[in-house]
Amino acid sequence: MLTRRNFMISTAALFSAPITGAAWAGPVSDSSKWSAWDAQVTPANYDPGTTNPWGFHPRFLPQTVKANPGLTPGDIHVDAVARYLYHIRGDGTAMRYGVAIARGNLYEPGTYTIRRKAKWPTWTPTAAMIERDPQDYAKYADGMNGGPNNPLGSRALYLFSGNRDTYLRIHGSPHPRSIGGRASSGCVRMVMAHINDLYEHVETGSTVHLHAPEA
């Protein structure tokens, strides 16, 4: 497991300031609606680096940053302290996005593999979630169809440990104002318009590093 000290030392060395200028989850949702839903969650005249109808701090908008040598292109690093997700590119840079992470001890630092990607996925709460919050989750025990109000949002990346589905996800969220905070039940949340862009550049088999949060 990655400690907070290791995280603070390693992540500070990996990334510089922004460059200026430049498993199984049930049946799939109704694909005939995907384009309309994508349009619904993408702001008019959308520009990733400036569009912010959600009202969170501008530092959480997508930015290109430099990455130190030695990082594997295609890997994802989640800085749980600053609430950033970095997607490493092959040209010595990374795309940085703002995220929300899990509440309390529900966030699980570690190294994972993306074994599945899905557009507008269906969602089923885990047994632990239902036991913890039955009033909120029991009614969805058989799953919730994909759509703009689905907790997994427009895209999801499914994190595995070996061949075991961890039920951890990197996913879009219908609650974009949570970005920068601790809000989820274990997953890493992104703005839907942001993960729609990230999704197209992520390959199954890629490695995800969830670095430890603050104590």
Side-chain angles (χ1 to χ4, degrees):
M1 180 177 293
L2 296 168
T3 67
R4 183 173 186 272
R5 175 175 172 79
N6 287 339
F7 161 76
M8 293 295 290
I9 294 172
S10 61
T11 305
L14 297 182
F15 303 104
S16 72
I19 297 172
T20 56
W24 181 82
V28 297
S29 59
D30 184 351
S31 60
S32 68
K33 299 179 180 178
W34 290 355
S35 293
W37 288 341
D38 280 348
Q40 182 177 333
V41 302
T42 304
N45 303 312
Y46 175 63
D47 177 87
T50 61
T51 300
N52 187 15
W54 311 287
F56 48 64
H57 195 285
R59 75 183 179 92
F60 295 122
L61 293 172
Q63 298 187 54
T64 304
V65 300
K66 290 183 179 179
N68 274 11
L71 298 181
T72 302
D75 278 8
I76 288 174
H77 291 259
V78 173
D79 174 341
V81 175
R83 312 291 200 262
Y84 291 141
L85 178 150
Y86 296 91
H87 183 231
I88 310 303
R89 295 182 166 181
D91 62 355
T93 68
M95 278 301 300
R96 191 185 80 186
Y97 302 87
V99 299
I101 65 169
R103 304 185 303 270
N105 62 2
L106 298 177
Y107 180 83
E108 299 182 35
T111 301
Y112 304 94
T113 303
I114 296 171
R115 296 290 186 198
R116 180 174 181 256
K117 299 169 52 178
K119 295 183 178 181
W120 292 105
T122 56
W123 169 75
T124 303
T126 65
M129 291 171 67
I130 294 173
E131 181 179 1
R132 188 165 57 244
D133 297 301
Q135 289 187 329
D136 291 335
Y137 297 126
K139 58 188 173 182
Y140 299 118
D142 294 327
M144 180 180 181
N145 291 333
N149 295 319
N150 185 291
L152 291 183
S154 57
R155 305 287 189 274
L157 308 174
Y158 293 71
L159 308 189
F160 281 63
S161 178
N163 293 320
R164 179 181 63 85
D165 186 355
T166 64
Y167 297 98
L168 301 176
R169 316 285 186 243
I170 298 171
H171 65 84
S173 174
H175 304 290
R177 290 181 182 272
S178 66
I179 299 303
R182 303 195 69 162
S184 73
S185 293
C187 299
V188 175
R189 292 183 179 181
M190 297 179 65
V191 170
M192 288 196 238
H194 296 171
I195 197 171
N196 287 0
D197 172 68
L198 172 67
Y199 183 93
E200 299 302 324
H201 300 283
V202 174
E203 302 290 339
T204 55
S206 298
T207 300
V208 175
H209 306 269
L210 299 185
H211 297 277
E214 68 273 28

Short mmCIF file of all heavy atoms in Angstrom, two decimals, residues 78-131:
data_model
loop_
_atom_site.label_atom_id
_atom_site.label_comp_id
_atom_site.label_asym_id
_atom_site.label_seq_id
_atom_site.Cartn_x
_atom_site.Cartn_y
_atom_site.Cartn_z
N VAL A 78 -3.74 8.83 -9.41
CA VAL A 78 -4.70 9.67 -8.70
C VAL A 78 -4.03 10.23 -7.46
O VAL A 78 -3.62 9.49 -6.56
CB VAL A 78 -5.98 8.89 -8.32
CG1 VAL A 78 -6.88 9.75 -7.43
CG2 VAL A 78 -6.73 8.46 -9.58
N ASP A 79 -3.88 11.55 -7.45
CA ASP A 79 -3.33 12.29 -6.32
C ASP A 79 -4.50 12.57 -5.39
O ASP A 79 -5.29 13.50 -5.61
CB ASP A 79 -2.70 13.58 -6.85
CG ASP A 79 -2.21 14.52 -5.77
OD1 ASP A 79 -2.65 14.39 -4.61
OD2 ASP A 79 -1.40 15.41 -6.08
N ALA A 80 -4.62 11.77 -4.35
CA ALA A 80 -5.77 11.86 -3.46
C ALA A 80 -5.68 13.03 -2.50
O ALA A 80 -6.68 13.39 -1.87
CB ALA A 80 -5.93 10.56 -2.67
N VAL A 81 -4.49 13.63 -2.36
CA VAL A 81 -4.34 14.79 -1.49
C VAL A 81 -4.83 16.05 -2.21
O VAL A 81 -5.66 16.79 -1.70
CB VAL A 81 -2.87 14.95 -1.04
CG1 VAL A 81 -2.69 16.23 -0.24
CG2 VAL A 81 -2.44 13.74 -0.23
N ALA A 82 -4.32 16.28 -3.42
CA ALA A 82 -4.70 17.46 -4.18
C ALA A 82 -5.99 17.26 -4.98
O ALA A 82 -6.53 18.21 -5.51
CB ALA A 82 -3.57 17.87 -5.12
N ARG A 83 -6.46 15.99 -5.06
CA ARG A 83 -7.67 15.64 -5.81
C ARG A 83 -7.47 15.83 -7.32
O ARG A 83 -8.27 16.45 -8.01
CB ARG A 83 -8.89 16.45 -5.37
CG ARG A 83 -9.09 16.52 -3.87
CD ARG A 83 -9.51 15.18 -3.25
NE ARG A 83 -10.11 15.43 -1.95
CZ ARG A 83 -9.48 15.32 -0.78
NH1 ARG A 83 -8.22 14.90 -0.76
NH2 ARG A 83 -10.11 15.57 0.35
N TYR A 84 -6.37 15.25 -7.82
CA TYR A 84 -6.08 15.28 -9.24
C TYR A 84 -5.97 13.86 -9.78
O TYR A 84 -5.46 12.96 -9.09
CB TYR A 84 -4.75 15.98 -9.53
CG TYR A 84 -4.72 17.46 -9.29
CD1 TYR A 84 -3.58 18.05 -8.74
CD2 TYR A 84 -5.78 18.29 -9.65
CE1 TYR A 84 -3.51 19.42 -8.53
CE2 TYR A 84 -5.73 19.65 -9.44
CZ TYR A 84 -4.59 20.22 -8.88
OH TYR A 84 -4.52 21.58 -8.67
N LEU A 85 -6.36 13.68 -11.02
CA LEU A 85 -6.09 12.46 -11.77
C LEU A 85 -5.18 12.85 -12.93
O LEU A 85 -5.45 13.82 -13.65
CB LEU A 85 -7.38 11.85 -12.29
CG LEU A 85 -7.26 10.57 -13.15
CD1 LEU A 85 -8.50 9.68 -12.97
CD2 LEU A 85 -7.06 10.86 -14.64
N TYR A 86 -4.08 12.09 -13.09
CA TYR A 86 -3.14 12.32 -14.17
C TYR A 86 -3.16 11.13 -15.12
O TYR A 86 -3.01 9.98 -14.70
CB TYR A 86 -1.70 12.45 -13.63
CG TYR A 86 -1.46 13.64 -12.73
CD1 TYR A 86 -1.63 13.53 -11.35
CD2 TYR A 86 -1.03 14.85 -13.26
CE1 TYR A 86 -1.38 14.62 -10.53
CE2 TYR A 86 -0.78 15.95 -12.43
CZ TYR A 86 -0.96 15.82 -11.07
OH TYR A 86 -0.72 16.89 -10.25
N HIS A 87 -3.32 11.41 -16.41
CA HIS A 87 -3.19 10.36 -17.43
C HIS A 87 -1.91 10.62 -18.20
O HIS A 87 -1.76 11.65 -18.87
CB HIS A 87 -4.40 10.38 -18.38
CG HIS A 87 -4.36 9.28 -19.40
ND1 HIS A 87 -4.52 9.50 -20.74
CD2 HIS A 87 -4.16 7.94 -19.25
CE1 HIS A 87 -4.44 8.35 -21.39
NE2 HIS A 87 -4.22 7.40 -20.51
N ILE A 88 -0.96 9.67 -18.09
CA ILE A 88 0.39 9.86 -18.64
C ILE A 88 0.37 9.67 -20.15
O ILE A 88 -0.17 8.68 -20.66
CB ILE A 88 1.38 8.87 -18.00
CG1 ILE A 88 1.28 8.92 -16.47
CG2 ILE A 88 2.81 9.19 -18.46
CD1 ILE A 88 1.50 10.29 -15.88
N ARG A 89 0.99 10.59 -20.85
CA ARG A 89 1.10 10.51 -22.30
C ARG A 89 2.51 10.13 -22.70
O ARG A 89 3.43 10.14 -21.89
CB ARG A 89 0.70 11.85 -22.92
CG ARG A 89 -0.78 12.18 -22.69
CD ARG A 89 -1.16 13.48 -23.35
NE ARG A 89 -2.59 13.64 -23.42
CZ ARG A 89 -3.19 14.68 -23.98
NH1 ARG A 89 -2.47 15.66 -24.51
NH2 ARG A 89 -4.51 14.76 -24.01
N GLY A 90 2.68 9.82 -23.97
CA GLY A 90 3.97 9.34 -24.45
C GLY A 90 4.96 10.44 -24.80
O GLY A 90 6.09 10.15 -25.21
N ASP A 91 4.58 11.70 -24.66
CA ASP A 91 5.45 12.81 -25.06
C ASP A 91 6.03 13.55 -23.87
O ASP A 91 6.49 14.68 -24.00
CB ASP A 91 4.68 13.78 -25.95
CG ASP A 91 3.48 14.41 -25.24
OD1 ASP A 91 3.20 14.01 -24.10
OD2 ASP A 91 2.83 15.29 -25.85
N GLY A 92 6.00 12.92 -22.70
CA GLY A 92 6.55 13.57 -21.51
C GLY A 92 5.57 14.47 -20.79
O GLY A 92 5.95 15.19 -19.87
N THR A 93 4.30 14.42 -21.19
CA THR A 93 3.28 15.21 -20.53
C THR A 93 2.20 14.30 -19.94
O THR A 93 2.20 13.09 -20.15
CB THR A 93 2.61 16.21 -21.49
OG1 THR A 93 1.83 15.48 -22.46
CG2 THR A 93 3.64 17.06 -22.21
N ALA A 94 1.30 14.92 -19.20
CA ALA A 94 0.14 14.21 -18.68
C ALA A 94 -1.06 15.15 -18.75
O ALA A 94 -0.92 16.37 -18.66
CB ALA A 94 0.37 13.77 -17.23
N MET A 95 -2.25 14.58 -18.91
CA MET A 95 -3.47 15.35 -18.77
C MET A 95 -3.92 15.26 -17.32
O MET A 95 -3.97 14.16 -16.76
CB MET A 95 -4.56 14.83 -19.70
CG MET A 95 -4.45 15.34 -21.12
SD MET A 95 -4.50 17.15 -21.27
CE MET A 95 -6.11 17.53 -20.57
N ARG A 96 -4.21 16.41 -16.75
CA ARG A 96 -4.61 16.47 -15.35
C ARG A 96 -6.07 16.90 -15.25
O ARG A 96 -6.50 17.85 -15.89
CB ARG A 96 -3.74 17.47 -14.59
CG ARG A 96 -3.90 17.42 -13.09
CD ARG A 96 -3.10 18.53 -12.43
NE ARG A 96 -3.81 19.81 -12.50
CZ ARG A 96 -3.29 20.97 -12.12
NH1 ARG A 96 -2.05 21.01 -11.67
NH2 ARG A 96 -3.99 22.07 -12.22
N TYR A 97 -6.81 16.16 -14.42
CA TYR A 97 -8.23 16.44 -14.21
C TYR A 97 -8.51 16.53 -12.71
O TYR A 97 -7.88 15.83 -11.91
CB TYR A 97 -9.10 15.32 -14.78
CG TYR A 97 -8.93 15.02 -16.24
CD1 TYR A 97 -7.95 14.13 -16.68
CD2 TYR A 97 -9.76 15.60 -17.19
CE1 TYR A 97 -7.80 13.83 -18.03
CE2 TYR A 97 -9.62 15.31 -18.54
CZ TYR A 97 -8.64 14.43 -18.96
OH TYR A 97 -8.50 14.13 -20.29
N GLY A 98 -9.48 17.32 -12.33
CA GLY A 98 -9.94 17.33 -10.95
C GLY A 98 -10.87 16.17 -10.68
O GLY A 98 -11.62 15.74 -11.56
N VAL A 99 -10.80 15.64 -9.46
CA VAL A 99 -11.63 14.49 -9.09
C VAL A 99 -12.16 14.67 -7.67
O VAL A 99 -11.70 15.51 -6.91
CB VAL A 99 -10.85 13.16 -9.16
CG1 VAL A 99 -10.36 12.88 -10.57
CG2 VAL A 99 -9.68 13.15 -8.17
N ALA A 100 -13.14 13.86 -7.34
CA ALA A 100 -13.54 13.64 -5.95
C ALA A 100 -13.17 12.21 -5.59
O ALA A 100 -13.19 11.32 -6.46
CB ALA A 100 -15.04 13.86 -5.77
N ILE A 101 -12.83 11.98 -4.33
CA ILE A 101 -12.49 10.63 -3.89
C ILE A 101 -13.47 10.18 -2.82
O ILE A 101 -14.36 10.92 -2.41
CB ILE A 101 -11.04 10.55 -3.38
CG1 ILE A 101 -10.85 11.40 -2.12
CG2 ILE A 101 -10.06 10.97 -4.48
CD1 ILE A 101 -9.53 11.15 -1.41
N ALA A 102 -13.29 8.98 -2.34
CA ALA A 102 -14.23 8.37 -1.40
C ALA A 102 -14.16 9.01 -0.03
O ALA A 102 -13.15 9.56 0.39
CB ALA A 102 -13.95 6.87 -1.29
N ARG A 103 -15.26 8.87 0.67
CA ARG A 103 -15.34 9.35 2.05
C ARG A 103 -14.53 8.44 2.98
O ARG A 103 -14.47 7.23 2.80
CB ARG A 103 -16.79 9.34 2.53
CG ARG A 103 -17.76 10.13 1.68
CD ARG A 103 -19.14 10.16 2.32
NE ARG A 103 -19.69 8.84 2.55
CZ ARG A 103 -20.42 8.17 1.68
NH1 ARG A 103 -20.68 8.69 0.49
NH2 ARG A 103 -20.91 6.98 1.98
N GLY A 104 -13.93 9.06 3.99
CA GLY A 104 -13.30 8.33 5.08
C GLY A 104 -12.40 7.19 4.64
O GLY A 104 -11.56 7.35 3.76
N ASN A 105 -12.61 6.02 5.25
CA ASN A 105 -11.75 4.87 4.95
C ASN A 105 -12.26 4.05 3.78
O ASN A 105 -11.77 2.94 3.54
CB ASN A 105 -11.60 3.97 6.19
CG ASN A 105 -12.93 3.39 6.66
OD1 ASN A 105 -13.97 3.62 6.04
ND2 ASN A 105 -12.90 2.65 7.76
N LEU A 106 -13.22 4.57 3.02
CA LEU A 106 -13.73 3.84 1.85
C LEU A 106 -12.79 3.95 0.65
O LEU A 106 -12.87 3.15 -0.27
CB LEU A 106 -15.12 4.37 1.46
CG LEU A 106 -16.21 4.20 2.53
CD1 LEU A 106 -17.52 4.81 2.05
CD2 LEU A 106 -16.40 2.72 2.87
N TYR A 107 -11.91 4.94 0.67
CA TYR A 107 -10.91 5.07 -0.38
C TYR A 107 -9.82 4.02 -0.15
O TYR A 107 -9.32 3.88 0.97
CB TYR A 107 -10.31 6.47 -0.36
CG TYR A 107 -9.25 6.73 -1.41
CD1 TYR A 107 -9.60 7.09 -2.70
CD2 TYR A 107 -7.90 6.64 -1.08
CE1 TYR A 107 -8.62 7.33 -3.65
CE2 TYR A 107 -6.92 6.88 -2.03
CZ TYR A 107 -7.29 7.24 -3.31
OH TYR A 107 -6.31 7.47 -4.25
N GLU A 108 -9.43 3.29 -1.20
CA GLU A 108 -8.49 2.18 -1.07
C GLU A 108 -7.25 2.41 -1.92
O GLU A 108 -7.24 2.09 -3.11
CB GLU A 108 -9.16 0.87 -1.48
CG GLU A 108 -10.37 0.52 -0.62
CD GLU A 108 -10.99 -0.82 -1.01
OE1 GLU A 108 -10.22 -1.74 -1.39
OE2 GLU A 108 -12.22 -0.95 -0.95
N PRO A 109 -6.18 2.98 -1.34
CA PRO A 109 -4.94 3.17 -2.10
C PRO A 109 -4.40 1.84 -2.60
O PRO A 109 -4.59 0.79 -1.97
CB PRO A 109 -3.99 3.80 -1.07
CG PRO A 109 -4.86 4.33 0.01
CD PRO A 109 -6.04 3.42 0.07
N GLY A 110 -3.72 1.89 -3.72
CA GLY A 110 -3.13 0.67 -4.27
C GLY A 110 -2.91 0.79 -5.76
O GLY A 110 -3.12 1.85 -6.36
N THR A 111 -2.50 -0.31 -6.36
CA THR A 111 -2.25 -0.37 -7.80
C THR A 111 -3.23 -1.36 -8.43
O THR A 111 -3.36 -2.50 -7.97
CB THR A 111 -0.81 -0.81 -8.09
OG1 THR A 111 0.09 0.12 -7.47
CG2 THR A 111 -0.53 -0.84 -9.58
N TYR A 112 -3.91 -0.92 -9.46
CA TYR A 112 -5.00 -1.69 -10.07
C TYR A 112 -4.84 -1.72 -11.58
O TYR A 112 -4.04 -0.98 -12.16
CB TYR A 112 -6.34 -1.06 -9.71
CG TYR A 112 -6.58 -0.91 -8.23
CD1 TYR A 112 -6.28 0.28 -7.57
CD2 TYR A 112 -7.08 -1.96 -7.46
CE1 TYR A 112 -6.48 0.43 -6.21
CE2 TYR A 112 -7.28 -1.83 -6.10
CZ TYR A 112 -6.98 -0.63 -5.48
OH TYR A 112 -7.17 -0.49 -4.13
N THR A 113 -5.62 -2.60 -12.21
CA THR A 113 -5.64 -2.71 -13.66
C THR A 113 -7.05 -2.45 -14.18
O THR A 113 -8.02 -2.94 -13.60
CB THR A 113 -5.18 -4.11 -14.11
OG1 THR A 113 -3.88 -4.37 -13.58
CG2 THR A 113 -5.13 -4.21 -15.63
N ILE A 114 -7.14 -1.68 -15.25
CA ILE A 114 -8.44 -1.46 -15.89
C ILE A 114 -8.74 -2.67 -16.76
O ILE A 114 -8.06 -2.91 -17.76
CB ILE A 114 -8.43 -0.17 -16.74
CG1 ILE A 114 -8.21 1.04 -15.83
CG2 ILE A 114 -9.74 -0.04 -17.53
CD1 ILE A 114 -7.98 2.33 -16.59
N ARG A 115 -9.75 -3.43 -16.39
CA ARG A 115 -10.13 -4.62 -17.15
C ARG A 115 -11.37 -4.41 -18.01
O ARG A 115 -11.68 -5.22 -18.87
CB ARG A 115 -10.38 -5.80 -16.21
CG ARG A 115 -9.17 -6.26 -15.42
CD ARG A 115 -8.16 -6.92 -16.30
NE ARG A 115 -7.05 -7.48 -15.54
CZ ARG A 115 -5.88 -7.81 -16.06
NH1 ARG A 115 -5.65 -7.61 -17.34
NH2 ARG A 115 -4.92 -8.30 -15.29
N ARG A 116 -12.08 -3.31 -17.75
CA ARG A 116 -13.32 -3.07 -18.49
C ARG A 116 -13.56 -1.58 -18.58
O ARG A 116 -13.23 -0.82 -17.66
CB ARG A 116 -14.50 -3.75 -17.80
CG ARG A 116 -15.85 -3.56 -18.51
CD ARG A 116 -16.96 -4.37 -17.84
NE ARG A 116 -18.22 -4.21 -18.54
CZ ARG A 116 -19.23 -3.46 -18.13
NH1 ARG A 116 -19.15 -2.82 -16.99
NH2 ARG A 116 -20.33 -3.35 -18.84
N LYS A 117 -14.11 -1.14 -19.71
CA LYS A 117 -14.58 0.23 -19.90
C LYS A 117 -16.04 0.15 -20.33
O LYS A 117 -16.43 -0.79 -21.01
CB LYS A 117 -13.78 0.93 -21.01
CG LYS A 117 -12.29 1.05 -20.77
CD LYS A 117 -11.55 1.51 -22.03
CE LYS A 117 -12.14 2.75 -22.65
NZ LYS A 117 -11.38 3.19 -23.85
N ALA A 118 -16.83 1.15 -19.96
CA ALA A 118 -18.23 1.14 -20.38
C ALA A 118 -18.75 2.56 -20.54
O ALA A 118 -18.44 3.44 -19.75
CB ALA A 118 -19.09 0.39 -19.36
N LYS A 119 -19.55 2.74 -21.59
CA LYS A 119 -20.26 3.99 -21.81
C LYS A 119 -21.66 3.89 -21.21
O LYS A 119 -22.33 2.88 -21.37
CB LYS A 119 -20.37 4.30 -23.30
CG LYS A 119 -19.04 4.55 -23.99
CD LYS A 119 -19.24 4.92 -25.46
CE LYS A 119 -17.93 5.22 -26.14
NZ LYS A 119 -18.13 5.61 -27.57
N TRP A 120 -22.07 4.93 -20.51
CA TRP A 120 -23.39 5.00 -19.89
C TRP A 120 -23.74 3.68 -19.22
O TRP A 120 -24.73 3.04 -19.53
CB TRP A 120 -24.44 5.43 -20.91
CG TRP A 120 -24.23 6.85 -21.34
CD1 TRP A 120 -23.72 7.28 -22.53
CD2 TRP A 120 -24.49 8.03 -20.57
NE1 TRP A 120 -23.64 8.65 -22.56
CE2 TRP A 120 -24.11 9.14 -21.36
CE3 TRP A 120 -25.00 8.26 -19.28
CZ2 TRP A 120 -24.23 10.45 -20.91
CZ3 TRP A 120 -25.12 9.57 -18.84
CH2 TRP A 120 -24.75 10.65 -19.65
N PRO A 121 -22.92 3.25 -18.27
CA PRO A 121 -23.10 1.92 -17.66
C PRO A 121 -24.29 1.87 -16.72
O PRO A 121 -24.72 2.90 -16.17
CB PRO A 121 -21.80 1.73 -16.88
CG PRO A 121 -21.39 3.12 -16.52
CD PRO A 121 -21.76 3.97 -17.71
N THR A 122 -24.79 0.67 -16.54
CA THR A 122 -25.74 0.44 -15.46
C THR A 122 -24.97 0.38 -14.13
O THR A 122 -23.74 0.23 -14.13
CB THR A 122 -26.52 -0.86 -15.65
OG1 THR A 122 -25.58 -1.94 -15.79
CG2 THR A 122 -27.37 -0.81 -16.91
N TRP A 123 -25.69 0.51 -13.04
CA TRP A 123 -25.04 0.55 -11.73
C TRP A 123 -25.82 -0.31 -10.74
O TRP A 123 -27.06 -0.27 -10.71
CB TRP A 123 -24.99 1.98 -11.21
CG TRP A 123 -24.59 2.14 -9.77
CD1 TRP A 123 -23.35 2.01 -9.25
CD2 TRP A 123 -25.46 2.44 -8.67
NE1 TRP A 123 -23.37 2.23 -7.89
CE2 TRP A 123 -24.66 2.50 -7.51
CE3 TRP A 123 -26.84 2.68 -8.57
CZ2 TRP A 123 -25.18 2.78 -6.25
CZ3 TRP A 123 -27.37 2.96 -7.31
CH2 TRP A 123 -26.54 3.01 -6.17
N THR A 124 -25.07 -1.09 -9.97
CA THR A 124 -25.66 -1.89 -8.90
C THR A 124 -24.86 -1.66 -7.63
O THR A 124 -23.64 -1.88 -7.62
CB THR A 124 -25.64 -3.39 -9.25
OG1 THR A 124 -26.33 -3.59 -10.50
CG2 THR A 124 -26.32 -4.21 -8.17
N PRO A 125 -25.48 -1.20 -6.56
CA PRO A 125 -24.73 -1.01 -5.31
C PRO A 125 -24.24 -2.33 -4.76
O PRO A 125 -24.89 -3.38 -4.94
CB PRO A 125 -25.76 -0.36 -4.38
CG PRO A 125 -27.08 -0.79 -4.92
CD PRO A 125 -26.91 -0.90 -6.41
N THR A 126 -23.10 -2.31 -4.10
CA THR A 126 -22.58 -3.53 -3.49
C THR A 126 -23.40 -3.88 -2.25
O THR A 126 -24.13 -3.04 -1.70
CB THR A 126 -21.11 -3.35 -3.08
OG1 THR A 126 -21.03 -2.35 -2.06
CG2 THR A 126 -20.26 -2.93 -4.28
N ALA A 127 -23.24 -5.12 -1.80
CA ALA A 127 -23.93 -5.55 -0.58
C ALA A 127 -23.52 -4.69 0.61
O ALA A 127 -24.34 -4.36 1.48
CB ALA A 127 -23.64 -7.02 -0.30
N ALA A 128 -22.23 -4.29 0.66
CA ALA A 128 -21.75 -3.46 1.75
C ALA A 128 -22.41 -2.08 1.73
O ALA A 128 -22.74 -1.53 2.78
CB ALA A 128 -20.23 -3.32 1.68
N MET A 129 -22.62 -1.54 0.54
CA MET A 129 -23.28 -0.24 0.44
C MET A 129 -24.73 -0.34 0.91
O MET A 129 -25.22 0.54 1.62
CB MET A 129 -23.22 0.25 -1.01
CG MET A 129 -21.83 0.62 -1.47
SD MET A 129 -21.75 0.96 -3.26
CE MET A 129 -22.75 2.44 -3.36
N ILE A 130 -25.40 -1.41 0.52
CA ILE A 130 -26.80 -1.59 0.93
C ILE A 130 -26.89 -1.75 2.44
O ILE A 130 -27.78 -1.18 3.10
CB ILE A 130 -27.42 -2.78 0.20
CG1 ILE A 130 -27.51 -2.47 -1.30
CG2 ILE A 130 -28.80 -3.12 0.76
CD1 ILE A 130 -27.95 -3.65 -2.14
N GLU A 131 -25.97 -2.51 3.01
CA GLU A 131 -25.97 -2.71 4.46
C GLU A 131 -25.68 -1.40 5.19
O GLU A 131 -26.28 -1.11 6.24
CB GLU A 131 -24.94 -3.76 4.84
CG GLU A 131 -24.88 -4.06 6.34
CD GLU A 131 -23.87 -5.12 6.69
OE1 GLU A 131 -23.18 -5.64 5.77
OE2 GLU A 131 -23.74 -5.45 7.89
#
